[in-house]
Each structure stands twice: as C-alpha cells, then as structure tokens.
Amino acid sequence: NAGVTQTPKFQVLKTGQSMTLQCAQDMNHEYMSWYRQDPGMGLRLIHYSVGAGITDQGEVPNGYNVSRSTTEDFPLRLLSAAPSQTSVYFCASTPGYYGYTFGSGTRLTVV
Amino acid sequence: EDQVTQSPEALRLQEGESSSLNCSYTVSGLRGLFWYRQDPGKGPEFLFTLYSAGEEKEKERLKATLTKKESFLHITAPKPEDSATYLCAVQSTIQGAQKLVFGQGTRLTINP
C-alpha cells in the first residue's frame, strides 16, 4: 500500500515552460487535492476533486490546470511557469470522513 | 471566511519540559479540526481529528483538545524526536471534505 505518490520530487523550470506534476493514490479515495506550501503562508488549496470527472478551483488556482479521469490519478499542470510558482507542492487524498493523506511533495523552482 | 491562527510560531523546549501549542479558529460551522506533524522535506502526517467541543484525543506524548474557539496540542515530557512543525487545519460544514484551511504551523524544537 503506497498511499499517495508524487513525481517528480524536484524540478527546475525556466519561465514560460510547462510541465505536469503527477499524483497517484492507491486507497480508492474519492477526494483529492493539490496544495502549495510557501514560507510564512502555510498550505493553500490550488484545485480539488470530489470524484472522477469532477474538479473545482481552490484558493489559488491561477496558472494551474487539473483533470481527474480516474479515481487514482490527479495530475497538476503548470501552463506557463512563472517565478511566483516556485514552491513546494503537495497532493492529498481522503475518503471524506477522515483526515487527508499527503504525498511527500514536489519542490519546484522556476528561474 | 474560515481562518486558523497558530501560536507560537516557534517553540524551543528542553527534553522532558511539557508545553502546549495553540490553534485558534473561526469557521462557518466546524466539520472537523485536524492536527498534522510535518518533518523537514516531507509531507504532513496526520495525527488527530476532533469534531466537537470537549473532545480529546491522545497518542503517545501528544494530547489534542478542542473548544468552540481553539484547540490545544499538549506535549508531555517531549523527546528530541518530537521536534517537527505541527500544523492545525479546519474543515467547515459548508465547504465539506474538499477543503482544509491551514494555520501557518508551530515549529517545535526539543533539545536533549
């Protein structure tokens, strides 16, 4: 049972490049979310999904896209990377009635 | 707007010196209050969920309590391995399970 798996662990992008952060969970959880963590800002919700085919925006969605074609996978796409998107990104999942399980994070630097 | 404020920002204790971390919250109907532990370079690790005022949960040297306005994480006789950042988060009945609102965390250091 792997829990929530995120790839890659580290990434450096140039301004304007696009990329996809991968997230997969093997617990059959309906709810999945993406958070970013910045010093002094805490964890902030980017996008979330309440089931396959259903996604919605969180607190800081601009510059990011998501899709949920299966229960297991919830990729986060950066459309045109900006230095302001330098952060640590966490994917999380929950069955809905319990605490979220978080992945180990992706540390992204945009230069 | 749902808000969570944690204090202090950082706390340094000697091994065996008990203390408490505070989490004050405002939420439009509390669905659940969560405590997480985060080690450097890792994702948050779930500790407790509290649902209603008066509820308490314990795990080893940690005990979480909840009132209508705040939660406390009591740490009794801490050890160096308890050093971590402790995060508090709330879910509201309106937003449901899809949204956690986090505080900024308390960075706890236990000196041997």
Side-chain angles (χ1 to χ4, degrees):
Chain A
N1 192 337
V4 178
T5 303
Q6 290 185 239
T7 56
K9 292 191 181 302
F10 301 95
Q11 183 72 47
V12 179
L13 286 180
K14 293 183 178 179
T15 298
Q17 286 185 318
S18 62
M19 78 160 294
T20 299
L21 279 61
Q22 301 291 345
C23 175
Q25 54 95 3
D26 60 358
M27 300 171 284
N28 201 33
H29 288 172
E30 286 298 314
Y31 296 87
M32 296 187 73
S33 302
W34 277 101
Y35 288 84
R36 60 178 287 174
Q37 186 173 40
D38 302 292
M41 302 288 290
L43 283 149
R44 292 180 293 168
L45 181 65
I46 304 171
H47 284 286
Y48 64 91
S49 169
V50 300
I54 307 170
T55 64
D56 206 344
Q57 297 180 351
E59 182 184 356
V60 287
N62 292 340
Y64 307 95
N65 233 348
V66 292
S67 59
R68 184 106 178 263
S69 55
T70 67
T71 299
E72 293 78 20
D73 299 302
F74 190 43
L76 178 72
R77 296 182 188 84
L78 278 70
L79 309 173
S80 177
S84 60
Q85 294 178 304
T86 294
S87 186
V88 182
Y89 292 84
F90 290 101
C91 179
S93 72
T94 179
Y97 50 84
Y98 202 57
Y100 272 82
T101 300
F102 283 79
S104 57
T106 295
R107 187 173 296 272
L108 175 69
T109 302
V110 182
V111 298
Chain B
E1 183 179 334
D2 302 336
Q3 278 190 317
V4 177
T5 303
Q6 291 187 247
S7 61
E9 286 187 19
L11 181 63
R12 191 178 292 269
L13 300 172
Q14 290 298 121
E15 185 173 0
E17 181 184 0
S18 301
S19 188
S20 297
L21 313 182
N22 178 263
C23 170
S24 297
Y25 65 91
T26 55
V27 65
S28 49
L30 181 68
R31 187 174 188 269
L33 184 140
F34 301 83
W35 283 98
Y36 287 86
R37 169 190 170 125
Q38 187 174 23
D39 293 301
K42 296 190 176 181
E45 176 188 347
F46 172 76
L47 291 173
F48 304 110
T49 308
L50 301 167
Y51 295 103
S52 57
E55 190 174 0
E56 299 181 353
K57 295 266 179 81
E58 285 189 67
K59 180 180 180 180
E60 296 181 358
R61 295 176 292 282
L62 298 177
K63 178 180 175 180
T65 61
L66 181 65
T67 73
K68 288 186 177 180
K69 293 185 177 180
E70 57 191 353
S71 177
F72 292 94
L73 186 64
H74 306 278
I75 181 161
T76 303
K79 298 181 178 181
E81 53 261 44
D82 295 320
S83 297
T85 296
Y86 290 86
L87 303 172
C88 175
V90 296
Q91 281 181 346
S92 73
T93 52
I94 293 175
Q95 297 285 350
Q98 53 262 35
K99 184 176 181 182
L100 283 172
V101 176
F102 281 88
Q104 295 185 5
T106 293
R107 189 173 64 256
L108 178 65
T109 303
I110 309 299
N111 295 317

